[in-house]
Amino acid sequence: MFTFVIPAHNEQDTVATVVAQALQACHPGDRVLVVDSASTDGTGGKAAAAGAEVLVGPLGKGAAMNAALGVVDTPWVCFLDADLGSSRANVPALLRAAAVGGTADHVAGDWEYDDPGTILSNTFTLYEPLVTRFFPEVAGKLGANSLTGYRAVRRSYLNTLLPNDFGVEAHINITVGLAGGTIAVQHLGVIASRFRYKPAMGTEIAAAVLRLAMSSGRLDPLDRPLWNDWVSEGAATIAGIDEAGGRSRALASLFTAIRRPMPTY
């Protein structure tokens, strides 16, 4: 059995779309649970009207996911983003079928963006270099969208508290891998979603990786300030990108940031 968990903060315009897909993907015994994450709009009402269970939750993506895990005991949990505008295939159904039909413990959804100009700046400027450095056994195993908001995970791998912020996907990637969980990637086709600028996201993602590096004995806490500085430089580059400057200029800035030396000690 599956629980489709949809954390949603101010997503009244799109939440019904992903709820409808999840309901279509459901088999007997499955649940569709929207966590209304401190929304100030009509997200909760739209989700309920679309047919989902609605749980009032705290602000923060990870905090909302933690709230859901407190009431979920199905063997699988399938996390879905609430800002799905449209997709050519039923995203929850693809993830469910891949999980049930395969042997992996963690199925990550990869996809093509409706806007081909999308740049995954936090992923390849901060997340991938840090994971390659500290957790090479996880690096490169989750597709291009390694921080995907669409994923199915066996509930048994989600028994520790998740970060309350946008570091949650990085945390899941690493902790499932460290626990011996196997990973598969399921392509989801083309997805259209609304981009929102979240300037703190990259710092939160990097912090999740560095916390796990320390807790697993791969990073000396005394060296953490050096890595904080490295992260700050990359985050500043990302924050400084001006969309009006064009894709080529943005990529040039990010490539420079990626090539900057990592701390040595």
Side-chain angles (χ1 to χ4, degrees):
M1 293 187 293
F2 267 64
T3 299
F4 296 98
V5 171
I6 307 166
H9 172 69
N10 289 346
E11 299 289 0
Q12 65 176 11
D13 295 334
T14 54
V15 68
T17 299
V18 70
V19 167
Q21 286 199 9
L23 289 171
Q24 290 171 5
C26 277
H27 289 219
D30 290 353
R31 300 172 64 187
V32 178
L33 176 63
V34 171
V35 184
D36 185 359
S37 179
S39 296
T40 57
D41 65 0
T43 294
K46 293 285 187 179
E53 300 176 52
V54 178
L55 174 67
V56 176
L59 182 64
K61 185 171 187 180
M65 291 163 69
N66 279 322
L69 292 174
V71 298
V72 168
D73 59 4
T74 50
W76 284 92
V77 180
C78 184
F79 296 109
L80 304 167
D81 280 343
D83 64 352
L84 188 151
S86 63
S87 62
R88 298 180 184 177
N90 183 306
V91 169
L94 287 174
L95 290 169
R96 193 188 194 289
V100 172
T103 60
D105 303 301
H106 180 190
V107 178
D110 199 8
W111 73 93
E112 303 297 331
Y113 285 83
D114 182 63
D115 177 3
T118 301
I119 300 174
L120 301 176
S121 54
N122 288 315
T123 299
F124 70 76
T125 305
L126 295 172
Y127 171 80
E128 291 291 355
L130 287 173
V131 170
T132 299
R133 169 63 176 79
F134 291 108
F135 302 101
E137 66 268 51
V138 177
K141 292 188 175 180
L142 289 110
N145 295 283
S146 48
L147 297 174
T148 176
Y150 303 101
R151 62 181 70 223
V153 188
R154 292 190 194 272
R155 180 66 178 82
S156 58
Y157 286 91
L158 296 170
N159 288 325
T160 59
L161 195 65
L162 304 175
N164 285 328
D165 53 25
F166 287 111
V168 62
E169 282 90 6
H171 179 93
I172 292 173
N173 291 348
I174 295 167
T175 55
V176 172
L178 291 181
T182 54
I183 298 169
V185 177
Q186 171 63 45
H187 203 273
L188 305 175
V190 178
I191 290 178
S193 59
R194 181 177 66 258
F195 176 77
R196 287 183 177 179
Y197 179 59
K198 304 179 180 78
M201 181 183 287
T203 302
E204 294 170 357
I205 292 165
V209 179
L210 293 175
R211 281 195 301 269
L212 289 170
M214 289 193 299
S215 66
S216 62
R218 302 186 185 199
L219 172 61
D220 188 326
L222 294 176
D223 296 321
R224 174 70 184 267
L226 297 174
W227 289 95
N228 288 343
D229 291 342
W230 183 88
V231 169
S232 295
E233 292 172 359
T237 299
I238 295 169
I241 291 175
D242 182 359
E243 186 176 339
R247 179 178 172 83
S248 293
R249 184 175 296 179
L251 287 173
S253 297
L254 294 173
F255 290 155
T256 298
I258 293 169
R259 290 193 293 266
R260 71 195 187 283
M262 286 187 160
T264 56
Y265 38 83

